Amino acid sequence: MQKNERVVQNITLLAIETSCDDTSASVIKNGEILSNVVSSQSVHIKYGGVVPELASRAHQKNIIPVVNHALQISKTQLKNIDAIAYTIGPGLLGSLLVGSSFAKGLAISLNKPLISVNHLEAHVLAPLIENRNLQFPYLCLLVSGGHTQIILVNSITDFEIIGKTIDDAAGEAFDKTAKIIGLPYPGGPLIDKYSQNGNHDAFKFAIGKVPGLDLSFSGFKTSVLYFIQKQSKKDATFVQNNLSDICSSIRKTIITYLMTKLSLAVKQTGINRVSIAGGVAANSLLRNEIIKKTETENWQVFIPKLEFCTDNAAMVAFAAYAKMKIEKFSPLDEAPFASFK
Ligand code: KG4
Ligand code: ZN
């Protein structure tokens, strides 16, 4: 137990996550996740990316059914909720406003405390949901659509960013290269899927040569773009005929790069407790490669299940529950905006 940690018993908490294009609600009771409902917005697919205005409108439409569903699954009535948590950011302002206003309204009407949670901190603490024995400090590779960071997690409130992308995020690298080869948004899961039967050595792409633990993906994206343009000029059916090999080569390049940086972080810090978080942590090759390290390098690895990797309110509920133990409550006038410390 942390210093000053309060024993929180018989606490039921409702968490709301609306930072981007997933509307999610979760109920946690005494540290156990009872429900985790996620409604993903399909309205963005035809635009090839998230349209902020449409995202906030969809959150408005979805939030009440999603919260009701989460309460129903957890067999909890609103009157039995002891605290309300919400994602304060980072994220799209219009989306964050829907979740934060809803959470604040509920907290006022139920006269219950409010806890704001940083979205990135929630991702980084997600490996603890199923691994309560995970000891601090641990390393977390946070790879999502908006962020790519290597974080030294010293405690539930102490995060040190020891490496980060200097341009695009790993999720963006997947999504943008997927777009180049004609796949719809979000392309990350599709590249993973089409890679399964491909030859990962079929094509070579350049990837950022940044010193130390920082990363860069913009040159990689350009390398894929020029290669595809060149090949398609010679043969209009090139992408169609080589889809699995292209996807597999893209996936291999990105994941090998992430693993190289993560290995360097282990070497530099001497910490071998390693976790992954964020949407790209759902990638099957990344999951396999990191598991291999338990045998080859004696790493202890902690991989959240898929539903806790992509955006979800369970991770917000868990982080809020941890914050409640150290009495980190939030004022009602807190603005829905946050960056990573
Ligand atoms: O954490 P997340 O759900 O939302 C953000 O906070 O950004 O991450 C979304 C990102 C997208 O870029 C998506 O393409 C990527 O995670 N992603 C994947 C996979 N599943 C989701 N990328 C590669 N392989 C996957 N299986
Ligand atoms: Zn996220």
Side-chain angles (χ1 to χ4, degrees), residues 154-169:
N154 291 314
S155 75
I156 62 152
T157 54
D158 183 359
F159 308 90
E160 215 177 304
I161 300 168
I162 56 172
K164 62 179 182 316
T165 179
I166 57 166
D167 40 54
D168 289 350

Side-chain angles (χ1 to χ4, degrees), residues 17 19-20 22 90 119-120 123 142-147 277-279 309-312 315:
E17 151 69 36
S19 64
C20 191
D22 294 306
H119 181 80
L120 301 177
H123 269 307
L142 171 62
V143 268
S144 72
H147 294 83
C309 286
T310 46
D311 286 351
N312 69 91
M315 67 182 188

Side-chain angles (χ1 to χ4, degrees), residues 195-215:
S195 294
Q196 303 305 340
N197 301 317
N199 170 10
H200 60 230
D201 289 322
F203 308 111
K204 294 270 173 275
F205 302 116
I207 196 150
K209 294 209 173 357
V210 187
L213 298 176
D214 284 344
L215 307 96

Side-chain angles (χ1 to χ4, degrees), residues 63-84:
I63 194 149
I64 292 180
V66 165
V67 167
N68 281 340
H69 198 187
L71 289 168
Q72 210 177 38
I73 291 174
S74 65
K75 298 189 171 58
T76 308
Q77 290 184 303
L78 212 42
K79 64 174 195 240
N80 296 325
I81 294 290
D82 301 302
I84 317 286

Side-chain angles (χ1 to χ4, degrees), residues 4-6 8 322-330:
N4 298 329
E5 191 175 304
R6 209 160 59 100
V8 183
K323 280 177 96 172
M324 224 175 149
K325 286 188 184 172
I326 49 169
E327 304 201 333
K328 284 229 172 222
F329 296 104
S330 310

Side-chain angles (χ1 to χ4, degrees), residues 69-232:
H69 198 187
L71 289 168
Q72 210 177 38
I73 291 174
S74 65
K75 298 189 171 58
T76 308
Q77 290 184 303
L78 212 42
K79 64 174 195 240
N80 296 325
I81 294 290
D82 301 302
I84 317 286
Y86 71 99
T87 302
I88 192 168
L92 302 171
L93 186 61
S95 293
L96 291 165
L97 275 170
V98 177
S100 64
S101 304
F102 190 89
K104 288 175 183 184
L106 261 185
I108 292 171
S109 61
L110 297 173
N111 194 25
K112 297 295 177 192
L114 188 66
I115 301 157
S116 65
V117 172
N118 181 301
H119 181 80
L120 301 177
E121 293 180 5
H123 269 307
V124 167
L125 295 177
L128 285 159
I129 299 177
E130 300 152 286
N131 299 288
R132 300 297 162 94
N133 298 330
L134 170 51
Q135 300 280 311
F136 298 109
Y138 64 87
L139 290 172
C140 182
L141 173 70
L142 171 62
V143 268
S144 72
H147 294 83
T148 294
Q149 297 171 338
I150 301 173
I151 299 151
L152 179 58
V153 188
N154 291 314
S155 75
I156 62 152
T157 54
D158 183 359
F159 308 90
E160 215 177 304
I161 300 168
I162 56 172
K164 62 179 182 316
T165 179
I166 57 166
D167 40 54
D168 289 350
E172 264 179 297
F174 272 109
D175 296 340
K176 287 179 178 173
T177 48
K179 199 171 175 179
I180 293 169
I181 55 172
L183 298 178
Y185 177 85
L190 293 173
I191 290 196
D192 199 12
K193 182 177 157 195
Y194 294 132
S195 294
Q196 303 305 340
N197 301 317
N199 170 10
H200 60 230
D201 289 322
F203 308 111
K204 294 270 173 275
F205 302 116
I207 196 150
K209 294 209 173 357
V210 187
L213 298 176
D214 284 344
L215 307 96
S216 164
F217 291 98
S218 66
F220 166 70
K221 182 186 61 193
T222 313
S223 164
V224 173
L225 178 68
Y226 288 171
F227 173 76
I228 297 296
Q229 281 177 343
K230 195 172 156 196
Q231 298 303 321
S232 300

